[in-house]
């Protein structure tokens, strides 16, 4: 005795529903991947190209009532902006915070600023820079 096959002959009735579902999932996955890549690219461009002022703390010197901070600022020529610096005590409490403005046509500025503190500060941390 032979057994009857439950599958229809190949190519006779078109694609099965599983093949159509697989193709649909591939198309949806490709569209979502392209959209995700586009979104990541847009955010990356916006972060890199639109950030017109940046800085870093070169060194700092803590004192009893203030912290002297040496900042190196890089910006576009003619762009004005400010950088926010804070200091913390040994226990992590914030003891000082201030904004320092950077104006002018220079693209690289080295500046030593003094951050007043309410008690002895042990750190100097650059929180960020903004145009305006």
């Amino acid at each position: 005795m032979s057994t009857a096959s439950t599958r229809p002959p190949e190519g006779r009735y078109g694609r099965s529903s599983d093949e159509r579902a697989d193709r649909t999932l591939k198309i949806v996955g490709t569209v979502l991947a392209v959209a995700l890549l586009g979104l990541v690219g847009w955010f990356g461009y916006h972060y890199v190209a639109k950030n017109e002022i940046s800085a870093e703390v070169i060194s700092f010197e803590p004192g009893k009532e203030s912290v002297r901070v040496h900042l190196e600022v890089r910006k576009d020529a003619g762009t004005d902006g400010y950088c926010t610096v804070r200091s913390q005590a040994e226990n992590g409490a914030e003891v000082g915070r201030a904004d320092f403005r950077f104006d002018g046509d220079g693209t690289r500025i080295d500046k030593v600023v003094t951050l007043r503190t309410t008690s002895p500060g042990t750190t100097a941390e650059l929180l960020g820079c903004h145009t305006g």
Side-chain angles (χ1 to χ4, degrees):
M1 259 191 167
S2 66
T3 60
S5 174
T6 58
R7 294 174 43 143
E10 286 190 37
R12 185 176 227 181
Y13 299 105
R15 293 185 183 183
S16 70
S17 62
D18 289 341
E19 289 174 342
R20 281 191 298 271
D22 288 345
R23 184 168 189 260
T24 302
L25 284 175
K26 286 179 185 177
I27 291 171
V28 169
T30 302
V31 168
L32 289 176
V34 168
L36 180 64
L37 280 173
L39 189 63
V40 168
W42 183 81
F43 278 120
Y45 170 78
H46 182 70
Y47 179 76
V48 172
K50 300 296 180 180
N51 196 6
E52 298 169 339
I53 183 169
S54 65
E56 64 180 312
V57 174
I58 302 300
S59 64
F60 66 92
E61 189 178 310
K64 289 184 180 183
E65 296 179 359
S66 65
V67 177
R68 290 174 47 93
V69 183
H70 179 193
L71 291 175
E72 180 181 303
V73 179
R74 291 169 303 282
K75 64 183 189 67
D76 293 341
T79 300
D80 298 336
Y82 63 93
C83 294
T84 304
V85 179
R86 79 170 176 176
S87 181
Q88 294 177 309
E90 278 188 42
N91 64 0
E94 185 175 291
V95 294
R97 179 187 292 236
D99 293 333
F100 298 99
R101 291 203 68 58
F102 297 96
D103 304 327
D105 291 331
T107 58
R108 184 177 171 274
I109 300 170
D110 273 335
K111 189 172 184 179
V112 177
V113 296
T114 302
L115 173 62
R116 295 174 160 266
T117 58
T118 57
S119 63
T122 58
T123 64
E125 180 182 7
L126 177 67
L127 296 179
C129 296
H130 307 281
T131 58

